């Protein structure tokens, strides 16, 4: 099945959101390049407003609402980064944002939602509970659901990060993102294959939450069941539209150990100054575990977010979680 999103859709999203978002920097490290025998470029979406790439997709979705939709606000379920991003995007448009969050969501992410004025309803940490909670909120408010990843406007917004990275530092041999629900990966893949036809698009995923890898290999979606990983942003199952795009444009999904994620977090802070949340470190962990695949290559990596406290960063990297 052909994906229903085009590169032109993502260009339009870029024009729609550019006055609201940060054009984030790209960092490099000679030490990391020598260590891993590759040329690595890190697109710092940890420095994006709301602390993650999710603000791009949320802003595109909110700015694209009709006036009739906007007045009733927006709603979503999210473990954190999309919740904060949607709350801020709604605040910028002066409309309400209703957020259903699992009760075990990281404290820093809950605080971000509250800071941006999002109205939180807590639920059990299962996809079923999140969806039921959201359905209830929609009935009560009439708000428009903005899905965290399985939503055209969100995917288009997320694709703008790769567009910036390629325009600023491309072309690349390989472009990498982490994969959870697939919003960042699918948007990135459309952009990458359009702008650099020969590029390889590779995703990193925790072995403890490897539903995207298994789905990719099987050719159909295999839902995630109670994944246990420090990469809390990658616990979700793939979206339907996301999976169609991933099947069409993504070359490979690599799974990584929890230990490698911790090591990658330490490498990033030590050599680039990037305090990456665990999900963001997964692509670098994949390079660590598959050095031969990346040897001599120019690699663009999207650091998806940095919503982690110093205390939690230290606890996770020391294996105390």
């Amino acid at each position: 099945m052909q994906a229903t999103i085009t590169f032109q859709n993502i260009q339009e999203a870029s024009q729609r959101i550019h006055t609201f978002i940060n054009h984030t920097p790209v960092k490099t490290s000679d030490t990391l390049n020598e260590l891993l025998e590759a040329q690595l470029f890190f697109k710092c979406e940890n420095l994006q407003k709301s602390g993650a790439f999710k603000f791009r997709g949320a802003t595109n979705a909110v700015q694209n609402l009709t006036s009739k939709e906007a007045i009733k606000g927006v709603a979503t379920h999210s473990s954190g980064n999309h919740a904060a991003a949607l709350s801020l995007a709604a605040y910028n448009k002066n409309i309400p944002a209703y957020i259903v969050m699992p009760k075990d969501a990281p404290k820093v992410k809950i605080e971000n939602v509250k800071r941006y004025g999002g109205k939180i309803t807590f639920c059990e940490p299962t996809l079923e509970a999140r969806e039921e909670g959201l359905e209830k909120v929609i009935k009560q408010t009439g708000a428009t659901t903005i899905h965290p990843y399985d939503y055209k406007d969100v995917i288009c917004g997320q694709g703008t990060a790769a567009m910036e990275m390629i325009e600023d530092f491309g072309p690349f041999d390989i472009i990498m993102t982490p994969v959870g629900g697939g919003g960042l990966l699918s948007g990135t893949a459309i952009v990458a294959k359009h702008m650099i036809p020969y590029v390889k698009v590779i995703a990193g995923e925790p072995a403890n939450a490897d539903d995207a890898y298994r789905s990719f290999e099987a050719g159909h979606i295999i839902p995630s069941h109670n994944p246990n990983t420090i990469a809390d942003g990658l616990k979700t199952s793939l979206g339907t539209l996301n999976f169609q795009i991933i099947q069409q444009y993504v070359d490979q999904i690599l799974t990584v150990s929890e230990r490698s994620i911790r090591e990658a977090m330490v490498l990033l802070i030590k050599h680039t100054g990037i305090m990456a949340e665990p999900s963001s470190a997964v692509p670098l962990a994949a390079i660590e575990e598959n050095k031969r695949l990346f040897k001599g290559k120019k690699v663009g990596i999207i650091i998806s977010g940095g919503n982690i406290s110093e205390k939690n960063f230290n606890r996770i990297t020391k294996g105390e979680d």
Side-chain angles (χ1 to χ4, degrees):
M1 189 185 293
Q2 290 294 102
T4 56
I5 298 174
T6 65
F7 179 69
Q8 188 182 341
N9 294 147
I10 297 172
Q11 284 179 307
E12 288 162 1
S14 179
Q15 289 160 10
R16 194 177 291 120
I17 71 176
H18 81 275
T19 57
F20 297 97
I21 64 163
N22 290 336
H23 187 118
T24 51
V26 171
K27 290 191 174 184
T28 60
S29 162
D30 291 341
T31 308
L32 271 185
N33 289 349
E34 285 172 27
L35 192 66
L36 297 168
E37 298 181 81
Q39 224 184 331
L40 308 180
F41 294 78
F42 299 98
K43 175 71 168 166
C44 296
E45 286 296 292
N46 56 305
L47 301 177
Q48 187 53 261
K49 290 175 184 174
S50 82
F53 75 94
K54 299 266 187 179
F55 184 62
R56 294 172 181 271
T59 298
N60 189 46
V62 166
Q63 291 301 321
N64 218 13
L65 291 171
T66 65
S67 53
K68 194 177 176 184
E69 288 168 333
I71 205 162
K72 291 186 175 178
V74 289
T76 196
H77 65 75
S78 166
S79 61
N81 283 341
H82 177 65
L86 190 64
S87 299
L88 180 56
Y91 175 83
N92 286 342
K93 201 171 173 69
N94 201 24
I95 63 173
Y98 304 96
I99 312 294
V100 176
M101 294 187 85
K103 61 186 183 183
D104 66 348
K107 192 179 175 186
V108 67
K109 297 187 179 184
I110 294 167
E111 286 168 358
N112 281 348
V113 173
K114 288 179 178 173
R115 185 184 305 125
Y116 304 132
K119 302 172 196 307
I120 302 174
T121 302
F122 289 105
C123 69
E124 291 300 314
T126 65
L127 186 60
E128 188 182 18
R130 283 160 67 147
E131 287 175 346
E132 281 174 8
L134 181 59
E135 204 175 313
K136 207 172 175 181
V137 167
I138 298 299
K139 276 181 185 171
Q140 289 168 351
T141 63
T144 299
T145 303
I146 308 293
H147 194 278
Y149 46 88
D150 198 358
Y151 193 87
K152 182 176 178 177
D153 285 340
V154 168
I155 293 169
C156 290
Q158 316 310 27
T160 63
M163 186 185 293
E164 285 177 11
M165 181 172 68
I166 295 166
E167 285 171 349
D168 293 346
F169 290 93
F172 297 96
D173 300 310
I174 297 169
I175 288 183
M176 298 188 76
T177 77
V179 58
L184 179 62
L185 178 58
S186 50
T188 297
I190 292 167
V191 165
K193 292 290 186 177
H194 181 91
M195 296 179 78
I196 317 167
Y198 61 82
V199 80
K200 278 196 162 35
V201 177
I202 299 177
E205 184 178 42
N208 285 8
D210 67 345
D211 62 292
Y213 169 78
R214 288 184 289 116
S215 301
F216 188 71
E217 294 299 317
H220 59 88
I221 293 177
I222 299 172
S224 180
H225 288 294
N226 301 319
N228 181 24
T229 175
I230 54 173
D232 62 279
L234 306 182
K235 289 180 176 181
T236 46
S237 300
L238 282 175
T240 307
L241 178 55
N242 311 94
F243 184 57
Q244 290 170 18
I245 296 165
I246 288 165
Q247 280 186 301
Q248 192 175 342
Y249 293 113
V250 172
D251 294 282
Q252 201 169 358
I253 297 175
L254 300 171
T255 61
V256 300
S257 70
E258 299 293 289
R259 181 180 174 178
S260 291
I261 298 171
R262 289 189 180 93
E263 287 173 357
M265 289 170 73
V266 172
L267 285 175
L268 282 166
I269 193 80
K270 187 177 177 184
H271 299 298
T272 68
I274 298 169
M275 188 182 280
E277 57 186 88
S279 303
S280 298
V282 169
L284 182 61
I287 295 173
E288 276 189 274
E289 287 192 10
N290 299 273
K291 286 182 187 173
R292 284 178 66 185
L293 184 62
F294 297 92
K295 187 174 181 178
K297 303 293 185 189
K298 183 179 176 185
V299 188
I301 302 160
I302 297 179
I303 298 290
S304 51
N307 284 318
I308 186 167
S309 66
E310 194 171 339
K311 184 181 174 184
N312 262 5
F313 184 92
N314 292 332
R315 181 178 59 81
I316 289 169
T317 54
K318 288 172 184 171
E320 294 170 1
D321 52 307

